[in-house]
Amino acid sequence: MKKIIIFCLLMILCIILRFYKLGDFPDGVHIDEAAFGYNAYSILKTGKDQFGNSFPFFFESEGDYKLPVHVYLSTLSVSFFGLNSFSVRFTTLLMGYLLVISIFILTYQITHSYKKSVLAAFLLSISPWHFLFSRQGTEVVTCAVFSCLSLIFFIQFVRREGMINIILFLGTALLAMFTYRTATIFIIIFYALFFLLISANYKKRKKFALAISYTILFLLFLLLTTSLLKRYTDVKLFDSQELRVVTDLNLREDGTFSRPLNNQFVPRIFHNKLENLIISVQKNFWSQLDYSTLFFKGDNLNNSIPNLGNMYFFEVTLFIVFLFFLKKLTEKNIFFIIPMLWIFSSILPSSITLDAVNSSRTFQASIGYVLAISIGLIIIINLLNNHNFKFLFKGMVVILYAYGLFTMLHSYFVHKPMRTPWYRDVGLNEAVSYIENHKNQYEKIIFGNDIYTLYAYRAKLDPAFLQKRIAGITDNREKRTMKRLDDKFVTDVQNCNLKEGEANVLYVCFGRKIPITGQIIKTFTFRDGQPNVTLYEYDSKSKVNRPINMEYY
């Protein structure tokens, strides 16, 4: 009974931390949240995505193609709560809650220890990494849940066989692969390594079933390759300009280009694209294990909480303890190698991309780190034979985690909205409302940027209406221009940078810079007072209503 009460209290804590002002924090919505929400809304209304494709397998989005699982799951929350920030994030919140339960089950399967399992679930529930992403409308948490479940069923099969376990393993692994692209590579790498490590200890029947399962996953990986390439065209290292520049620079310094083609062989052995690619992948791999990134500052402003890393600074000690005892642990139970395999397989896919240090892309690694840290903490407690020392150590751990939790909550709700709002559409909801109510007063409305999906999401435009307006258009970029939303809408980046303008036109400018000649109708700001969206009318005689936090041409 005591164990059940402790587990229930843990789940209540997890829910409270994530439900609190879910629709208000973080401020605004990210373009990916708007894409997930509006596509889910469109599927509910018309059975098609926002561009008119019936129940698509890949969802065309801003700069990439979304995989289907998270979009279709989001239709449930959008149907219950409508199209808004809360509903878009509710699916991720629910998945974050399920991930805490999943890591409890997974830890118990690995360690057969209730203490380690509860501890792992608790540490994940208060982890900055998990807390940050489970409050956003993102597919990475959903993907982590299915990845974790696949491993649970995999271990179940290895220990107990049963065709149902192998079917569930394959099913959840496939759901992970069709939720987020890096999971495709993660699943293939992780299970290949894990299968090799454990295969010597099991019978031919199990080996055969596991081999068949892996073969199925690998074949599906090949089928997904086309989809993967659609995204990796933008983020992969292989064709990056940076690699070409470095290679050409080295060859030029060697005087290679002034030589005949038949005399360039030797320099190209030492300076070539493959060499620089291998170096870059290694550099990217190790950069994701950077101490300051993991424990102090995170990867960038959008994917981190101010003054914190992905994990608490004191957890590095617990992770080191786990590494120190890893060999001894695996000699007793080979499954203790899982945290390190999980971390390695999670960060490797991100190593072949341009922005290698990306906490969103490597979110799955948080599971491996939490497993390792919880085991490391229990190891230290068990090593302390003196009752007083053990009591003092537990008290110190409680104080550190309480301090870390309150610091995280304070930084997230107070500092993050002030420091890192620029990736979100803060103020756009109010701006769109004004435009929709007053657009009949203007001959046209000029936007400084294309915000097709964000505008459709904020205005809750009828998906059927938009689908008709883009019917027959094959150019993906042309589909997403503002004129597809309304005949009065025009996109012209230069218009917010010119001193001259047109009468009876509303200009929608983004950022701080607007022309000096004219009148500001409305300014929508971030919490720190800096402008994000400004509605402006040209008037050659008017130079009034000029806030000091703007820059003028």
Side-chain angles (χ1 to χ4, degrees):
M1 188 64 183
K2 182 180 177 182
K3 291 181 179 180
I4 295 175
I5 292 173
I6 292 173
F7 187 76
C8 290
L9 290 174
L10 172 62
M11 293 300 103
I12 292 171
L13 172 66
C14 182
I15 291 172
I16 291 173
L17 289 177
R18 282 148 186 80
F19 255 112
Y20 177 71
K21 292 189 175 181
L22 179 65
D24 299 325
F25 291 89
D27 277 358
V29 297
H30 189 272
I31 181 61
D32 287 340
E33 290 181 309
F36 280 123
Y38 194 72
N39 273 306
Y41 181 69
S42 183
I43 289 289
L44 282 170
K45 293 287 185 179
T46 67
K48 301 176 181 179
D49 71 359
Q50 60 178 313
F51 298 111
N53 303 303
S54 297
F55 295 103
F57 200 73
F58 300 110
F59 287 81
E60 185 181 336
S61 186
E62 301 290 332
D64 66 356
Y65 284 77
K66 304 293 184 192
L67 291 175
V69 172
H70 191 77
V71 177
Y72 287 114
L73 285 175
S74 296
T75 60
L76 299 175
S77 58
V78 172
S79 67
F80 278 108
F81 305 113
L83 183 59
N84 52 57
S85 301
F86 180 86
S87 66
V88 168
R89 295 167 185 166
F90 182 80
T91 301
T92 311
L93 178 147
L94 182 61
M95 288 297 150
Y97 178 72
L98 293 177
L99 186 57
V100 172
I101 297 174
S102 298
I103 201 171
F104 171 86
I105 299 170
L106 177 60
T107 309
Y108 190 81
Q109 283 195 329
I110 294 171
T111 65
H112 298 298
S113 168
Y114 177 80
K115 285 184 179 179
K116 291 186 179 76
S117 304
V118 169
L119 184 60
F122 172 73
L123 295 186
L124 185 65
S125 70
I126 65 170
S127 163
W129 209 343
H130 185 271
F131 177 81
L132 176 67
F133 285 101
S134 62
R135 290 182 59 93
Q136 299 178 17
T138 174
E139 69 270 55
V140 297
V141 181
T142 304
C143 176
V145 171
F146 290 125
S147 297
C148 198
L149 288 174
S150 73
L151 182 54
I152 290 171
F153 294 123
F154 184 89
I155 294 174
Q156 281 284 95
F157 174 78
V158 167
R159 285 183 168 155
R160 301 178 185 177
E161 294 192 14
M163 187 55 65
I164 186 64
N165 289 320
I166 206 70
I167 292 172
L168 290 172
F169 157 64
L170 279 173
T172 49
L174 292 177
L175 285 171
M177 293 168 71
F178 287 99
T179 301
Y180 193 56
R181 285 177 173 79
T182 57
T184 308
I185 303 173
F186 164 80
I187 292 289
I188 296 299
I189 294 172
F190 177 81
Y191 285 107
L193 295 174
F194 195 38
F195 178 72
L196 289 174
L197 283 173
I198 67 171
S199 60
N201 301 323
Y202 296 99
K203 299 176 182 178
K204 289 183 179 181
R205 182 179 173 183
K206 285 186 179 180
K207 289 182 185 179
F208 178 75
L210 294 174
I212 291 295
S213 301
Y214 185 79
T215 302
I216 293 172
L217 291 177
F218 186 75
L219 290 173
L220 284 163
F221 164 75
L222 294 178
L223 289 174
L224 269 172
T225 300
T226 304
S227 167
L228 283 166
L229 290 177
K230 289 176 182 177
R231 174 59 175 157
Y232 275 95
T233 298
D234 298 325
V235 299
K236 66 181 179 179
L237 271 173
F238 310 119
D239 293 327
S240 72
Q241 183 68 25
E242 182 181 346
L243 281 185
R244 287 195 291 269
V245 169
V246 172
T247 302
D248 290 348
L249 177 62
N250 289 330
L251 291 171
R252 190 173 292 109
E253 289 173 347
D254 280 354
T256 305
F257 295 133
S258 62
R259 303 179 185 183
L261 286 175
N262 60 4
N263 197 23
Q264 294 183 10
F265 179 73
V266 174
R268 288 186 179 276
I269 292 177
F270 299 100
H271 306 302
N272 56 74
K273 193 174 177 180
L274 179 60
E275 175 213 21
N276 288 325
L277 176 63
I278 293 171
I279 291 172
S280 297
V281 169
Q282 290 186 54
K283 179 183 176 182
N284 290 346
F285 181 85
W286 292 110
S287 67
Q288 294 173 87
L289 299 173
D290 177 64
Y291 174 79
S292 61
T293 298
L294 288 173
F295 298 100
F296 285 100
K297 62 183 180 65
D299 68 333
N300 63 48
L301 295 175
N302 187 44
N303 288 340
S304 63
I305 299 174
N307 311 313
L308 285 172
N310 294 333
M311 294 172 282
Y312 298 114
F313 69 90
F314 49 84
E315 289 183 321
V316 64
T317 304
L318 306 177
F319 184 69
I320 291 172
V321 170
F322 171 78
L323 292 178
F324 183 80
F325 285 91
L326 182 59
K327 186 175 184 298
K328 185 179 290 186
L329 290 170
T330 52
E331 287 174 353
K332 296 179 180 179
N333 182 352
I334 190 62
F335 289 157
F336 275 102
I337 197 64
I338 285 174
M340 297 310 300
L341 283 182
W342 195 279
I343 293 169
F344 173 81
S345 303
S346 297
I347 65 179
L348 189 60
S350 189
S351 301
I352 62 175
T353 61
L354 294 174
D355 53 337
V357 182
N358 188 310
S359 298
S360 175
R361 202 171 289 141
T362 58
F363 176 79
Q364 295 227 65
S366 63
I367 297 172
Y369 282 115
V370 166
L371 285 170
I373 289 166
S374 59
I375 294 169
L377 179 55
I378 295 296
I379 288 173
I380 296 176
I381 292 173
N382 291 338
L383 287 174
L384 295 173
N385 295 321
N386 186 287
H387 178 73
N388 292 330
F389 284 159
K390 186 175 291 189
F391 180 79
L392 288 173
F393 177 75
K394 288 181 179 179
M396 181 182 69
V397 169
V398 170
I399 292 171
L400 283 173
Y401 272 108
Y403 169 80
L405 176 60
F406 286 114
T407 299
M408 177 189 73
L409 295 175
H410 176 76
S411 295
Y412 182 83
F413 289 109
V414 177
H415 295 295
K416 187 171 177 60
M418 301 292 287
R419 295 190 195 179
T420 60
W422 309 294
Y423 300 91
R424 299 182 167 273
D425 74 336
V426 176
L428 188 61
N429 191 38
E430 294 82 359
V432 168
S433 178
Y434 181 90
I435 293 168
E436 287 294 303
N437 291 330
H438 296 83
K439 62 184 179 183
N440 291 333
Q441 301 173 15
Y442 300 95
E443 290 182 6
K444 62 180 175 179
I445 300 171
I446 297 179
F447 293 80
N449 285 323
D450 267 323
I451 52 169
Y452 179 94
T453 301
L454 286 169
Y455 194 100
Y457 165 83
R458 285 301 187 184
K460 298 181 177 62
L461 297 179
D462 181 11
F465 168 74
L466 296 186
Q467 289 161 15
K468 289 179 182 178
R469 289 181 65 87
I470 63 172
I473 300 174
T474 56
D475 184 88
N476 289 341
R477 187 172 296 179
E478 182 65 20
K479 289 179 184 177
R480 296 193 294 269
T481 56
M482 297 304 294
K483 65 183 178 182
R484 301 304 165 198
L485 300 175
D486 193 291
D487 291 331
K488 289 187 175 184
F489 291 177
V490 178
T491 304
D492 191 339
V493 177
Q494 295 300 319
N495 267 104
C496 285
N497 299 333
L498 299 176
K499 291 183 180 179
E500 298 297 324
E502 302 175 57
N504 203 26
V505 171
L506 180 67
Y507 294 90
V508 184
C509 304
F510 298 90
R512 298 180 61 189
K513 296 183 179 182
I514 64 169
I516 192 171
T517 305
Q519 185 172 6
I520 294 174
I521 305 302
K522 292 276 186 179
T523 299
F524 304 97
T525 66
F526 297 115
R527 287 184 186 239
D528 62 359
Q530 295 301 312
N532 184 33
V533 184
T534 302
L535 305 182
Y536 161 88
E537 288 180 6
Y538 173 74
D539 184 349
S540 60
K541 297 180 181 179
S542 176
K543 296 183 181 180
V544 297
N545 189 22
R546 293 182 290 167
I548 60 173
N549 57 0
M550 305 290 288
E551 293 181 14
Y552 301 92
Y553 289 99

